[in-house]
Amino acid sequence: MAKLCVLLFGTGVSFAQVSTVQDSLTKQPIQLNEVLVEGKSMSDPVFSTFKSEPEKKIVQSKNVADLFKDINGFALIKRGNYAIDPSFRASQYEQLNVQFNGGTKVMHACPNRMDPITTHVIPEEIERVEVVKGPYTFRYGPTFGGIVNLVTQEVEKQEKGYHGKVNFGGENNGNAITSFANVKYVGEQFDANFNFGFRDFGNYEDGDGNEVPSSFKSTDYGIQVGYNPTENQRIQLGFRQSFGRDVLHAGLPMDTEIDDSNVLSLDYKLDNISNGLKTLNAKVYRSKVDHVMTNELRPTFMMMEAVSEVDATTLGGRIELEWRPMENFKLYTGVDAFSVGRTGNRTRLVKRNMMTGELLPMPVTFTDEVWQDSQIDDYGAFVEGKYPLSEKFLLNIGARYDRVHSKIDAPADDFVAEYPNLGSRTEHNVSTTASVKYMATSNLLFELAYGRGVRSANMIERFINHFTVGQDPYEYVGNPYLDAEVNNQFELGMKAKTNFDGFAFNGLDYGASIYYSIYDNYIVAVIDPTLDKKYMPMQEPTEVKRFSNLDKAYKTGFEIYGELAFLNDFAFKTELSYVYAKNQDLDESLPLTPPLVTRMNLSFEREKIWARATYTLTSKQTDIASSFGERTTDGYGVVDLSFGVKPFEHLSIGVAASNIFDETYNNHLNFSFVNQADYGRVPINDPGRNLSAFVQYSF
């Protein structure tokens, strides 16, 4: 922290200079519209939202998932500091369509999700987070619980010339250091963008001073070049790589030695084609993840050495046409494709007798198929139309068809014995949506939507073979014959704004939405008494879980927010989110259902100075999935403070204190400690008090 303070002072002195004003653009750039949300009430997808304030993100993000924690309705699934997944309204993993730049995906290679998509993009590179809160648009792939689109820097929209920034950050709880550098050039026809980031996080301490094994290092870089051959065309090529090293996972049985990924994408846009056909958008991409994990630092290493080397390759693309059959009628048609293949084995060197603990005269080597060389291909076609029924009514109707093909090329003998007729399988899924927006006045909007989102089982749910992949210690077995799960979601909401003139209170923004989902064929793992445990069969629990379809399940909930602006520079905002999910077959909650969360935020903001105090109150969670190994979680309250200043035009400085009262707590979605020398199987606590500092210079 002392070094960081010196750096802050040195940077402030070195860059106290006045910049020249650039001429405005002579023409509008052709930009890729691979985004979902534009901040326009009557043209955005129904029940959509976005968040964008990267310059004021003072607390260093462990990975991109940290960007969601302040968005109403989101929660985080934590296995440590690295493998963090977002959860929205109790939907998670493949139930959420998580992508960046409108379609690019990076699928994880680890069956325990040590490497979700959020670990393969630089957090500082994300300009905004866009969310569609349900299956209300299908232009960007099959959607079950919602769409999360991570939008990186849109270079073509910026002023001509050279730009860039460099920032540094540090935290005292875990001795974390982050750095990020960006350089870009924007010309009349050509632009280029280069990013580089490095993060080094140590083990953090909880509120009681207990050290949580959670350290990691990651290095990332990305290159993007764009070319406009004509005034109505744009071609953009992007490439990024990420390198994770020495990652400790407190809530998983192994640690990551190597987590490498690369993503190559190519985008093309042709605009203003004709009167009837307005735009063509096309995208192709390829991503690859190589993952190596071991138990070298775990207590079980004395009994057995385990190394898993797995990889995942993802290919995809989309072509979309925007038609204008009538002046105000927008019609989107298109096709897309998505393919993920995974391979890899786990090698176990057994050194001791598992029953007696005695050394074996000759260690025995076993090789376990992790993914059994599996692949899933999804080919989809969609149509979606937006038509204003009147000046105040906007109707949106859409449909999607998906052909999902799955296969397994190297099944293990016991998996074949369990499923003797195993082979490739083809599914046909149909999704539909209809919604209405009603702009009662310029400051009052009502939204009503229905969506039928369909999701076929993922690779873990189909093909995992006696691996521990859940929050609990059970072995899980996949089911290649699972039916696709269906979310029939209904939602009603409103957004309003009131302005006050001549008063201390300047304005009030408020809104609410309530939703209800009827689930068909919901996929969940349940104990199957016909299955025998494969590894360490005498160790509890001795039962095995098999992925199955539920007959009856539902979800309901609401989100409410209100923000009062006063004294020109102050604002007070309150947000509430609650979800209730029911597994009617087992008469318990669905797993990973977050409790009621209330967030209160007092902020002060001017052009060159801002401050914020946030109190997050999380209620006790007693609605649990006992069959999933969940336990009741106590409620807690956490206070965070942050302050930022822009002393010069190009320099930003920030400090923050998180959990200032050093509260000891764990979120309900946190995994429990697994295979750790100093911990039993109890939930992982979140960090205690944490002081952060951040400095950024831009040019």
Side-chain angles (χ1 to χ4, degrees), residues 149-275:
N149 187 39
L150 307 169
V151 183
T152 60
Q153 299 175 35
E154 298 171 295
V155 180
E156 69 274 18
K157 296 170 63 175
Q158 301 186 11
E159 291 183 334
K160 298 289 189 293
Y162 290 94
H163 309 278
K165 61 183 175 182
V166 58
N167 62 50
F168 300 92
E171 298 182 2
N172 74 319
N173 193 348
N175 296 318
I177 293 294
T178 68
S179 60
F180 176 75
N182 168 246
V183 178
K184 62 178 72 76
Y185 168 77
V186 184
E188 288 290 340
Q189 288 186 288
F190 174 80
D191 53 76
N193 185 39
F194 175 76
N195 298 300
F196 176 82
F198 175 74
R199 330 178 73 71
D200 185 353
F201 282 80
N203 296 336
Y204 69 79
E205 293 183 353
D206 65 14
D208 289 333
N210 300 310
E211 184 175 297
V212 176
S214 53
S215 62
F216 70 90
K217 297 181 179 69
S218 67
T219 305
D220 306 78
Y221 77 90
I223 302 171
Q224 176 185 298
V225 293
Y227 176 63
N228 302 328
T230 65
E231 290 187 357
N232 65 336
Q233 292 186 81
R234 178 167 176 81
I235 302 172
Q236 183 172 291
L237 179 67
F239 180 75
R240 56 167 46 89
Q241 284 190 291
S242 177
F243 308 94
R245 292 292 184 273
D246 304 326
V247 185
L248 302 186
H249 303 282
L252 296 175
M254 303 172 79
D255 297 312
T256 297
E257 282 195 1
I258 298 174
D259 183 33
D260 294 347
S261 68
N262 61 76
V263 187
L264 177 66
S265 62
L266 177 65
D267 293 89
Y268 173 76
K269 178 177 180 179
L270 177 61
D271 203 5
N272 298 319
I273 301 173
S274 66
N275 291 333

Side-chain angles (χ1 to χ4, degrees), residues 350-415:
V350 179
K351 298 181 288 186
R352 293 178 179 269
N353 187 305
M354 293 295 180
M355 303 296 296
T356 65
E358 296 179 354
L359 280 172
L360 297 176
M362 181 67 69
V364 183
T365 300
F366 298 92
T367 300
D368 310 313
E369 287 281 352
V370 176
W371 291 115
Q372 306 183 88
D373 291 0
S374 304
Q375 183 169 323
I376 298 177
D377 302 322
D378 188 321
Y379 303 97
F382 60 87
V383 58
E384 187 168 322
K386 296 178 181 288
Y387 182 72
L389 300 175
S390 69
E391 292 184 356
K392 295 186 176 183
F393 276 97
L394 177 67
L395 174 66
N396 184 89
I397 297 178
R400 179 180 176 89
Y401 164 75
D402 286 279
R403 179 184 182 274
V404 181
H405 180 78
S406 58
K407 66 176 183 176
I408 179 171
D409 290 333
D413 292 339
D414 60 335
F415 201 76

Side-chain angles (χ1 to χ4, degrees), residues 1-305:
M1 295 301 291
K3 293 180 180 178
L4 187 60
C5 290
V6 174
L7 176 63
L8 290 174
F9 178 76
T11 307
V13 173
S14 300
F15 296 111
Q17 53 183 309
V18 178
S19 67
T20 59
V21 178
Q22 297 191 21
D23 293 332
S24 60
L25 294 176
T26 58
K27 60 181 181 180
Q28 286 295 105
I30 295 294
Q31 64 186 72
L32 298 172
N33 61 350
E34 296 290 354
V35 292
L36 305 172
V37 185
E38 301 174 326
K40 299 177 181 178
S41 297
M42 286 300 285
S43 61
D44 288 341
V46 69
F47 293 107
S48 59
T49 184
F50 73 98
K51 177 184 178 183
S52 177
E53 51 178 12
E55 305 299 326
K56 298 171 186 175
K57 190 69 181 177
I58 298 169
V59 179
Q60 321 312 314
S61 298
K62 281 68 177 176
N63 71 16
V64 171
D66 267 350
L67 304 178
F68 300 104
K69 65 181 181 181
D70 296 328
I71 302 178
N72 203 22
F74 273 89
L76 299 182
I77 301 172
K78 294 184 63 176
R79 305 165 182 84
N81 250 359
Y82 186 79
I84 306 175
D85 270 304
S87 171
F88 180 66
R89 294 177 171 178
S91 292
Q92 53 275 324
Y93 307 150
E94 277 81 355
Q95 290 179 335
L96 289 178
N97 185 355
V98 182
Q99 54 191 255
F100 60 91
N101 294 335
T104 304
K105 292 189 176 185
V106 185
M107 300 304 294
H108 59 95
C110 173
N112 286 108
R113 299 185 69 92
M114 294 180 179
D115 53 345
I117 185 174
T118 51
T119 65
H120 302 298
V121 186
I122 306 173
E124 290 83 357
E125 190 182 358
I126 302 301
E127 286 199 342
R128 65 181 184 274
V129 177
E130 303 173 334
V131 180
V132 178
K133 300 181 179 181
Y136 305 137
T137 181
F138 300 110
R139 293 168 53 198
Y140 301 91
T143 301
F144 179 84
I147 296 177
V148 176
N149 187 39
L150 307 169
V151 183
T152 60
Q153 299 175 35
E154 298 171 295
V155 180
E156 69 274 18
K157 296 170 63 175
Q158 301 186 11
E159 291 183 334
K160 298 289 189 293
Y162 290 94
H163 309 278
K165 61 183 175 182
V166 58
N167 62 50
F168 300 92
E171 298 182 2
N172 74 319
N173 193 348
N175 296 318
I177 293 294
T178 68
S179 60
F180 176 75
N182 168 246
V183 178
K184 62 178 72 76
Y185 168 77
V186 184
E188 288 290 340
Q189 288 186 288
F190 174 80
D191 53 76
N193 185 39
F194 175 76
N195 298 300
F196 176 82
F198 175 74
R199 330 178 73 71
D200 185 353
F201 282 80
N203 296 336
Y204 69 79
E205 293 183 353
D206 65 14
D208 289 333
N210 300 310
E211 184 175 297
V212 176
S214 53
S215 62
F216 70 90
K217 297 181 179 69
S218 67
T219 305
D220 306 78
Y221 77 90
I223 302 171
Q224 176 185 298
V225 293
Y227 176 63
N228 302 328
T230 65
E231 290 187 357
N232 65 336
Q233 292 186 81
R234 178 167 176 81
I235 302 172
Q236 183 172 291
L237 179 67
F239 180 75
R240 56 167 46 89
Q241 284 190 291
S242 177
F243 308 94
R245 292 292 184 273
D246 304 326
V247 185
L248 302 186
H249 303 282
L252 296 175
M254 303 172 79
D255 297 312
T256 297
E257 282 195 1
I258 298 174
D259 183 33
D260 294 347
S261 68
N262 61 76
V263 187
L264 177 66
S265 62
L266 177 65
D267 293 89
Y268 173 76
K269 178 177 180 179
L270 177 61
D271 203 5
N272 298 319
I273 301 173
S274 66
N275 291 333
L277 178 58
K278 179 175 174 56
T279 306
L280 180 149
N281 279 287
K283 171 193 285 286
V284 293
Y285 67 91
R286 176 192 183 274
S287 62
K288 180 80 169 3
V289 178
D290 294 307
H291 188 83
V292 179
M293 46 190 165
T294 74
N295 70 335
E296 184 176 352
L297 302 179
R298 303 302 184 95
T300 53
F301 187 77
M302 300 298 296
M303 303 282 291
M304 173 189 65
E305 298 180 20

Side-chain angles (χ1 to χ4, degrees), residues 49 69-73 511 558-563 572-578 596-601 614-617:
T49 184
K69 65 181 181 181
D70 296 328
I71 302 178
N72 203 22
F558 64 84
E559 284 132 25
I560 302 173
Y561 74 91
E563 183 172 14
F572 179 76
K573 186 175 185 179
T574 300
E575 297 176 315
L576 288 86
S577 64
Y578 176 71
L596 171 69
V597 176
T598 304
R599 185 178 295 107
M600 289 170 280
N601 187 304
T614 302
Y615 177 52
T616 303
L617 180 63

